[in-house]
Amino acid sequence: VYNQTSDAYFATLSEAILASSAHDVLILAPGSYVEDFPDITHSLTIRCDDGMASLTRATPLTVDGRAILNVPGNLGVHLTVVGLEISGARRPGPDPNGAAILHEIGNGDLTIERCYIHGNENGILVGNTNAFSPATGTNIVIRDSEFSATGAPPGSAYAAGGKCHNIYINAVTSVLIENSYIHSVFSQGHQIKSRAATNIIVNNRIEDLPQLGRTGYGSSYSIDISNGGVAVIRDNVIAKGPYSVNK
């Protein structure tokens, strides 16, 4: 792992995160990174430019754990990730809602580009904007990415309640989702759920696909703009599957 800002090399991504400073850029070589990554507590860019870097945990999430890449609340962090594959976020009960990325309440912008986020209980979880957020608010950009195979464990209360989603964004300033493929959420989750004040969702493919080895309910809504606000939804291909609970 190369810290482009400080011109330093590290054996692991975890070491690079711990040694980094605010606004550093970490460059990953393509390959597999199996680590229990530390919390991200300052603004950071993590990117793989020549292919894709695959991130998963070395050990399962604990009951107190939340995500593979975790940004704790109220720190004003801006996070950018590019060229990452993130999978395998599973959290034990009573709340089986492990996420690939958790960007908690009171942080800055989250940008996801050219990423493949799959096989998690939640794809991404984003908290609200509050007094700890930057003056510009919290703005989410997702482009040229794929989200799939997301959902709570079959038979769990989270599955019965449809509480896990490919993309779940709370009451932030704005969301832009474009040129992405978002599919195969199960356990009554939504493909996209957003409470943002402004939502721009353009030129995506959003569809239900069957999941091998999965039984029970498929998706719920393809797009749920829970709090209303400003929404531009155009030039998307949206396909509902036969097992969706909302046709």
Side-chain angles (χ1 to χ4, degrees):
V1 179
Y2 176 55
N3 186 320
Q4 187 179 65
T5 309
S6 65
D7 191 27
Y9 287 89
F10 298 89
T12 68
L13 176 56
S14 296
E15 292 174 1
I17 291 171
L18 289 172
S20 66
S21 300
H23 308 293
D24 281 2
V25 177
L26 306 182
I27 306 296
L28 306 185
S32 181
Y33 296 79
V34 182
E35 308 172 32
D36 294 338
F37 304 101
D39 289 348
I40 296 172
T41 57
H42 52 258
S43 296
L44 200 61
T45 295
I46 304 172
R47 59 184 306 134
C48 177
D49 295 327
D50 299 319
M52 189 162 283
S54 298
L55 276 57
T56 192
R57 282 183 59 89
T59 62
L61 287 166
T62 65
V63 171
D64 294 329
R66 297 293 304 278
I68 291 175
L69 292 182
N70 182 54
V71 181
N74 300 329
L75 296 175
V77 169
H78 299 281
L79 176 64
T80 296
V81 295
V82 181
L84 302 186
E85 176 185 6
I86 308 176
S87 63
R90 296 180 181 85
R91 184 186 186 197
D95 299 311
N97 64 342
I101 300 174
L102 172 63
H103 195 70
E104 262 287 16
I105 184 171
N107 283 298
D109 299 345
L110 173 64
T111 300
I112 297 172
E113 296 185 348
R114 201 173 49 79
C115 289
Y116 178 30
I117 295 175
H118 65 100
N120 305 284
E121 290 168 342
N122 280 288
I124 64 168
L125 287 173
V126 178
N128 299 341
T129 298
N130 66 8
F132 291 89
S133 305
T136 52
T138 298
N139 302 285
I140 312 303
V141 173
I142 299 169
R143 59 166 58 99
D144 302 319
S145 294
E146 180 176 352
F147 292 77
S148 72
T150 300
S156 68
Y158 266 59
K163 294 182 178 180
C164 291
H165 315 287
N166 265 327
I167 297 171
Y168 185 10
I169 297 164
N170 274 290
V172 300
T173 308
S174 71
V175 173
L176 168 64
I177 304 173
E178 64 178 353
N179 301 327
S180 293
Y181 185 25
I182 303 156
H183 64 96
S184 306
V185 72
F186 48 86
S187 300
Q188 303 188 77
H190 304 326
Q191 308 287 6
I192 299 170
K193 180 173 183 176
S194 175
R195 302 181 185 276
T198 298
N199 299 272
I200 301 174
I201 302 172
V202 296
N203 199 34
N204 303 286
R205 186 174 182 89
I206 304 166
E207 65 180 344
D208 296 336
L209 294 174
Q211 290 295 295
L212 292 176
R214 291 283 175 179
T215 59
Y217 293 117
S219 72
S220 183
Y221 297 145
S222 295
I223 302 174
D224 178 16
I225 308 297
S226 304
N227 291 10
V230 176
V232 176
I233 301 172
R234 61 174 173 79
D235 299 328
N236 300 288
V237 175
I238 301 174
K240 297 296 288 182
Y243 301 108
S244 173
V245 294
N246 282 297
K247 302 291 196 298

